[in-house]
Amino acid sequence: MEIDALSMRFGGLVALDAVSFKAVEGAVTAVIGPNGAGKTTLLNCISGMYRPTSGQVSFDGHNVTGARPERVARFGMARTFQNLALFAGLSVLDNIKVGAYRHGQSGLLEGALRFGRARREEAETDAAAREVLDFLELGDAATMLPAGLSYGQQKQVEFGRALMQRARLILLDEPMAGMSAPEKSRMVGLIRRTRERFGTSFLLVEHDIPVIMELSDHVVVLDFGRKIADAPPREVQADPVVIAAYLGD
Amino acid sequence: MLMQFLASGFMLGSVYGLVALGFAAIYKATRVFNFAQGMLMATGAYLAVTGSVVLGLPLVGTIAFVVVAAGTLGVVIQWLLIRPLAGRPLLAMVMITIALSIILRALIVIIFGGGAQTLRLGLPEGSFVLGSVRISAIHATAAGVSWLCMALFMVFFRFSKAGLLMRATADSHEAAVLSGVNVNRINATAWALGTILAAIGGVFLGQLQVASVELENIGLLALPAVVIGGLQSIPGAIIGGLLVGLIEQLSSGYISPKARDIFVYVPLLIILLVRPWGLFGERELGRV
Amino acid sequence: MPTIRHASRWKALLLSGAVLCLAFNASARAANFESPQDGVYADHIDWGMTADMSGPSSGAQNPWGQGFQDAVKVVNEKGGVGGRKINVLVEDTRYDATAERVAYEKFVSQTPALGTSGMGNSSAQTAMVPLIKRSKLPVVGTYTTAKAAVEPPTPYFYGGFCGFKEMAQTGVGFFTDHLALKQPTVALVHLDVASGKEYAGYMEAAVTARGGTFKAIPIKVVAADATPQVLDILAMKPDFVAIHGVTTTSILVMKAMLQYGINAPAFAISYLGTPTVYDGLGPDAGKNYYFVSCFSPASSDLKVSVALSAAADKFGHSALKDDVNYVAGYVIGNMVADAIGKAGAEPTREKLSAMLNTGYVANTGGLSSELKYTPTDHFGLTALKPLSFDYATKSFKSYGEYADFGKYLQ
């Protein structure tokens, strides 16, 4: 995925100022920066929640700038949210299955009538969802409601829904926020295993610097909407501009 | 006498339940309290008149015509009226549905005239005796088809892909948008289904008497049915419909026809006061 | 659109117009009479007509309005009345008493009419009696006639539809004799509204006058089912049943009676003797369904309905000619034309009303029973006859002449 001179203005406020970078396929790219640096805005522009003021987002050779979320999703991009976006009234299994249907081939009406293809797809989806649950090590929780799970597990369910989309790039918005240390290491493990097993790329926005250092291949630093660094973690950590942004003023 | 009232109350209540289910489907998916549900039901009766009398279709053709036309109508309503107003205050949505029912009524009067239209689909007439109860074939057919439609809807809602997405959207509109569900398509599906269920109810009520715009008032019994059963509950809507049918028969039979209104709307008030989520609905916990 | 600024200029124009009219009137009075405040002009006469053309009772009143207008169109095609065409000013009052009053006041002075017809709303009629007395705009030929308007007779008010009391007496009398009963047992299903209770009173009087047993069973206007009512009927085992209501009432009651195997005949009020009801019932439930009427559907007497059928066909209302409501409108339309003619070459509201009040008999060509007004009777129609529908020949069938049933009326 390539971001080229992406800008986003809200009235007079410049949230993103000509940000450009590349998220290499198969890599974990992290976006960090102080509060209000424009990280979530960046994710929203990429995933189609916002239409950027100018600039371009291209993914896998397609220009997806300003496309609506469900279209962006169809190109193979999935995302999780800072605040959980789970369906409280649906079972864990159903929550995960919702992810599968974004790229379902059969139409809604056909699905309703359960014709051959739709029925086959139905069975495949069910099997795939159980597979994802096992992968998340949440196999026993299939019929539970999300409220019965711990916060960390709920985050994993959301992650599982992104997996169900068979996305090639998953955008993670603060996946570690509010997690305990063991939950964090589980999540890190999960991201690693996903990458190994499916070759999925990740773009994550995170505050937790140790996690970033451990997990990411590449780090982009934003400050007041501008990119101030774009390098491997070790180099970023030593960059005086970055240190100033985090510690200065 | 009692058994007879229970039987006819059950059969009428089944049709009410069907219309109420359509109402609940729309409410659950789009949070629109649809005051046009009664008129959509009357529209169903007129669609059947169009199919059987105007187009001269056979029974099966007429049913197919009603289902397709009602579904299309639902989608058009969602697309033209509901979608542009998404996120507006409740009052605006309610006014839209009231305006919709007035427009539908006027359209029907312009096209068909104000008078009643005879609707005879060639469904079995006559009656049979079951134990001590006399049952009319047309009532039995109406109840049977209503239950079949309700069962189909439940299967669809529980087990199909579109059903899952509808449940997801109903559960959290926001989460559905965020996880990339095309919520507009889901809402259009809900309106199509809600309209089809109302229309099928209208076909039977039109067959039991005549197709007339006054059927709207019978269709609006779906509102107390749904509130009593629980706005959020699909089985609640069906049971609410059955209750209204039974209450109507028993109160008209043992007291007076006017008593029906008291015995339907007093429980409605009590429910609203002490259990606003209805008999079968789940208490809505404060959501942020 | 004149604005405030132009008002004075308009006033001046009106004034000069009025002066001109007066001068003109004085010179050409006899040859070319005009009386604009009565809606009478040299070449035409304005006449009001109110009916529920699109509201809750439009199913019955719309055909009435069509019949009325078709009759007037025929009169106009033949040259009108005394050289004047009748221009019908139609107001759709949607069964609303307020709209009825507004329309009446409009015909009084805003667009003055010589008279008005229709007013098919008995509560409006009852409420408007003082207004009619004061305004002196004749109401000629109503669709339904409120008791309060004709007992005692209201000046300027002349009915035009069969009466509930006569319906009850004719129906009860005919079925008691027809079924050779000594003391009839009769059930009435009626709407729980004012006119329904009034009818129940007449029915009870008619049945008890013959020493019979009577029961009134109410039903709602908007009913989905008549099971409770019909179970009541089942328990009573009546010799015959009477029905007061709307189209739906007849269909629900007759179908439920068929379902519960009640084979007793039923007779309905005049308004419910329509092809729509018989069509909705079908032959099985419809064979026991009768009605009493003071108007004859076209197919019940092909000889007397030739002109009516021709008019209906000509104006695209062939489907309505067997609807008693259409026939009623047609009869009243003709009566209005005839009455205007009889009011003289220089008709005014006063002359028209005076003519009707002193004793007027309309020539209805056999399409209705005798339609006449006297100083003590402004009701108009009294005699009725029972009718039913023959599904085999697809035509209405009457059980005698109007005169045969006068004996049942008191």
Side-chain angles (χ1 to χ4, degrees):
Chain A
M1 185 189 65
E2 203 170 332
I3 309 286
D4 187 26
L6 199 66
S7 294
M8 182 78 207
R9 280 183 213 94
F10 298 103
L13 183 82
V14 180
L16 288 176
D17 187 5
V19 174
S20 305
F21 66 89
K22 240 181 166 167
V24 181
E25 187 163 1
V28 176
T29 308
V31 177
I32 61 168
N35 273 330
K39 303 181 299 272
T40 297
T41 306
L42 176 70
L43 282 197
N44 283 341
C45 285
I46 294 170
S47 64
M49 306 291 284
Y50 294 163
R51 179 184 284 272
T53 317
S54 64
Q56 189 175 322
V57 181
S58 39
F59 178 64
D60 199 20
H62 302 282
N63 179 5
V64 297
T65 323
R68 290 194 313 167
E70 65 264 15
R71 244 180 78 76
V72 174
R74 222 157 289 153
F75 282 112
M77 215 192 283
R79 99 173 258 199
T80 68
F81 297 88
Q82 201 171 333
N83 300 315
L84 278 170
L86 289 179
F87 303 102
L90 265 53
S91 71
V92 167
L93 187 70
D94 280 348
N95 261 288
I96 287 179
K97 278 161 87 174
V98 169
Y101 291 130
R102 309 212 292 210
H103 54 93
Q105 294 302 305
S106 62
L108 281 184
L109 186 67
E110 197 186 339
L113 299 173
R114 294 172 72 82
F115 285 145
R117 188 169 67 175
R119 186 180 294 215
R120 205 165 48 244
E121 200 179 292
E122 217 53 79
E124 282 167 12
T125 303
D126 203 73
R130 288 181 190 280
E131 213 172 295
V132 166
L133 271 183
D134 288 339
F135 183 72
L136 298 173
E137 295 166 2
L138 285 172
D140 298 338
T143 57
M144 289 171 71
L145 291 180
L149 301 179
S150 73
Y151 182 74
Q153 287 171 318
Q154 292 187 34
K155 278 269 184 194
Q156 287 179 27
V157 172
E158 206 185 11
F159 187 85
R161 192 169 67 205
L163 280 183
M164 269 308 272
Q165 292 172 37
R166 284 175 244 159
R168 273 168 305 132
L169 172 68
I170 298 180
L171 312 179
L172 299 171
D173 194 354
E174 302 204 14
M176 311 298 168
M179 281 192 176
S180 64
E183 282 175 340
K184 278 182 190 168
S185 61
R186 267 178 73 92
M187 195 70 186
V188 169
L190 195 56
I191 293 170
R192 285 219 170 107
R193 280 191 288 137
T194 306
R195 189 176 153 197
E196 280 160 25
R197 181 147 163 204
F198 305 106
T200 318
S201 328
F202 286 91
L203 178 71
L204 68 147
V205 162
E206 191 44 74
H207 275 301
D208 195 313
I209 301 297
V211 167
I212 303 269
M213 294 306 146
E214 189 186 343
L215 198 59
S216 49
D217 303 304
H218 199 82
V219 177
V220 173
V221 187
L222 293 182
D223 188 27
F224 292 110
R226 280 175 304 112
K227 186 179 82 172
I228 57 170
D230 180 359
R234 294 292 149 215
E235 288 174 34
V236 166
Q237 220 170 5
D239 189 328
V241 183
V242 175
I243 293 165
Y246 267 91
L247 303 173
D249 330 309
Chain B
M1 204 74 156
L2 176 67
M3 285 311 290
Q4 189 69 58
F5 286 138
L6 291 177
S8 59
F10 174 81
M11 286 182 282
L12 265 186
S14 305
V15 180
Y16 296 162
L18 185 70
V19 179
L21 177 63
F23 180 94
I26 289 173
Y27 181 81
K28 247 181 117 71
T30 60
R31 292 296 148 105
V32 173
F33 202 88
N34 181 21
F35 279 98
Q37 193 73 3
M39 209 60 226
L40 290 177
M41 196 193 85
T43 305
Y46 278 96
L47 287 175
V49 170
T50 310
S52 68
V53 182
V54 181
L55 303 176
L57 299 172
L59 178 62
V60 179
T62 302
I63 292 168
F65 174 76
V66 170
V67 169
V68 170
T72 310
L73 177 66
V75 170
V76 168
I77 291 170
Q78 194 272 340
W79 191 68
L80 272 184
L81 304 177
I82 306 302
R83 187 172 159 183
L85 280 176
R88 295 285 183 85
L90 186 68
L91 185 66
M93 299 302 254
V94 165
M95 291 307 292
I96 279 280
T97 64
I98 292 174
L100 173 65
S101 74
I102 293 171
I103 291 167
L104 285 173
R105 173 186 279 261
L107 279 177
I108 290 172
V109 171
I110 288 169
I111 297 170
F112 293 93
Q117 297 278 323
T118 310
L119 177 56
R120 310 191 74 193
L121 294 175
L123 292 171
E125 302 234 353
S127 63
F128 54 92
V129 178
L130 198 76
S132 62
V133 178
R134 194 176 273 275
I135 292 167
S136 92
I138 186 81
H139 280 84
T141 312
V145 172
S146 295
W147 282 100
L148 180 70
C149 291
M150 292 190 277
L152 279 175
F153 180 85
M154 295 295 263
V155 169
F156 162 81
F157 198 63
R158 269 285 120 217
F159 301 110
S160 80
K161 155 190 171 179
L164 172 64
L165 294 185
M166 275 177 77
R167 279 184 291 140
T169 309
D171 186 76
S172 166
H173 192 267
E174 198 190 5
V177 173
L178 292 178
S179 43
V181 174
N182 190 339
V183 171
N184 277 321
R185 232 167 90 179
I186 297 302
N187 287 350
T189 312
W191 270 90
L193 286 172
T195 309
I196 290 171
L197 294 177
I200 293 171
V203 170
F204 281 112
L205 283 171
Q207 172 86 27
L208 291 174
Q209 38 177 277
V210 278
S212 106
V213 284
E214 304 308 321
L215 284 178
E216 176 187 19
N217 299 305
I218 299 171
L220 284 178
L221 284 173
L223 304 191
V226 166
V227 174
I228 291 172
L231 270 173
Q232 294 284 8
S233 165
I234 293 290
I238 296 169
I239 292 167
L242 278 179
L243 280 177
V244 169
L246 290 170
I247 290 170
E248 174 176 333
Q249 289 295 307
L250 292 172
S251 57
S252 315
Y254 288 112
I255 306 168
S256 95
K258 277 256 163 71
R260 176 193 83 184
D261 296 344
I262 299 169
F263 286 97
V264 169
Y265 286 94
V266 166
L268 174 84
L269 290 178
I270 295 172
I271 288 275
L272 284 176
L273 286 172
V274 305
R275 202 181 153 88
W277 53 93
L279 290 178
F280 296 87
E282 275 176 37
R283 179 177 212 150
E284 203 150 336
L285 297 167
R287 235 189 235 137
V288 186
Chain C
M1 269 293 222
T3 60
I4 303 281
R5 207 179 312 158
H6 294 140
S8 58
R9 198 191 303 168
W10 274 91
K11 240 182 229 165
L13 227 132
L14 272 174
L15 201 73
S16 56
V19 171
L20 228 111
C21 270
L22 280 174
F24 186 75
N25 259 358
S27 66
R29 191 172 180 137
N32 226 341
F33 174 79
E34 292 212 334
S35 178
Q37 72 273 19
D38 290 299
V40 179
Y41 306 89
D43 61 338
H44 75 278
I45 289 171
D46 281 340
W47 187 271
M49 189 207 95
T50 60
D52 177 4
M53 302 297 276
S54 65
S57 78
S58 59
Q61 294 202 25
N62 202 315
W64 187 92
Q66 302 298 351
F68 183 92
Q69 292 179 81
D70 288 355
V72 172
K73 278 183 211 159
V74 172
V75 169
N76 283 341
E77 280 179 2
K78 290 179 182 162
V81 181
R84 295 182 177 92
K85 297 274 167 70
I86 301 173
N87 179 34
V88 182
L89 308 169
V90 181
E91 288 288 327
D92 177 6
T93 44
R94 302 182 57 97
Y95 205 64
D96 175 52
T98 314
E100 204 63 70
R101 186 194 171 103
V102 169
Y104 183 81
E105 288 179 328
K106 185 175 165 186
F107 296 144
V108 169
S109 53
Q110 197 184 334
T111 41
L114 180 60
T116 180
S117 304
M119 205 184 270
N121 182 328
S122 50
S123 20
Q125 291 175 11
T126 307
M128 284 165 67
V129 165
L131 176 70
I132 295 169
K133 282 182 182 160
R134 200 167 61 236
S135 309
K136 300 184 168 43
L137 168 69
V139 180
V140 184
T142 54
Y143 178 86
T144 199
T145 307
K147 197 173 154 190
V150 288
E151 290 177 19
T154 302
Y156 308 99
F157 184 99
Y158 301 89
F161 209 88
C162 334
F164 278 133
K165 188 164 80 186
E166 291 76 13
M167 292 179 203
Q169 290 174 351
T170 305
V172 171
F174 169 72
F175 278 102
T176 307
D177 289 355
H178 188 66
L179 302 171
L181 305 166
K182 286 210 171 61
Q183 292 171 324
T185 302
V186 184
L188 165 72
V189 179
H190 68 91
L191 294 187
D192 51 359
V193 299
S195 73
K197 284 169 193 150
E198 187 190 328
Y199 188 61
Y202 294 136
M203 278 295 298
E204 181 160 25
V207 174
T208 42
R210 289 181 167 255
T213 317
F214 174 74
K215 183 168 188 188
I217 304 165
I219 189 168
K220 284 172 77 83
V221 180
V222 183
D225 183 64
T227 303
Q229 287 76 19
V230 170
L231 288 182
D232 252 8
I233 295 174
L234 194 62
M236 193 195 179
K237 295 193 180 31
D239 298 311
F240 58 92
V241 175
I243 300 174
H244 165 280
V246 293
T247 302
T248 310
T249 321
S250 282
I251 291 179
L252 288 176
V253 170
M254 293 310 293
K255 280 192 176 174
M257 278 174 57
L258 177 70
Q259 176 193 340
Y260 292 103
I262 302 173
N263 210 21
F267 81 90
I269 54 174
S270 314
Y271 306 96
L272 298 179
T274 61
T276 309
V277 174
Y278 280 103
D279 216 23
L281 288 176
D284 290 341
K287 68 176 189 295
N288 279 338
Y289 183 72
Y290 300 75
F291 62 101
V292 285
S293 174
C294 55
F295 295 101
S296 313
S299 65
S300 70
D301 191 342
L302 293 171
K303 282 197 295 293
V304 306
S305 62
V306 175
L308 170 116
S309 291
D313 291 342
K314 180 167 185 179
F315 300 113
H317 295 137
S318 304
L320 293 177
K321 59 189 169 192
D322 257 349
D323 186 326
V324 284
N325 299 300
Y326 179 84
V327 178
Y330 180 84
V331 166
I332 298 301
N334 276 318
M335 179 190 80
V336 163
D338 180 55
I340 294 172
K342 290 197 171 125
E346 300 180 356
T348 60
R349 291 173 183 173
E350 278 308 320
K351 284 185 201 162
L352 175 66
S353 186
M355 187 281 294
L356 290 171
N357 189 50
T358 46
Y360 167 80
V361 182
N363 175 16
T364 67
L367 285 170
S368 77
S369 59
E370 189 181 47
L371 172 49
K372 69 167 188 203
Y373 305 117
T374 67
T376 54
D377 179 11
H378 283 189
F379 200 92
L381 293 146
T382 43
L384 296 97
K385 63 181 177 184
L387 293 121
S388 69
F389 186 71
D390 183 346
Y391 285 90
T393 60
K394 294 196 184 331
S395 61
F396 282 85
K397 171 180 156 198
S398 61
Y399 292 80
E401 298 304 319
Y402 290 109
D404 302 340
F405 303 96
K407 61 185 174 192
Y408 297 129
L409 304 176
Q410 281 128 28

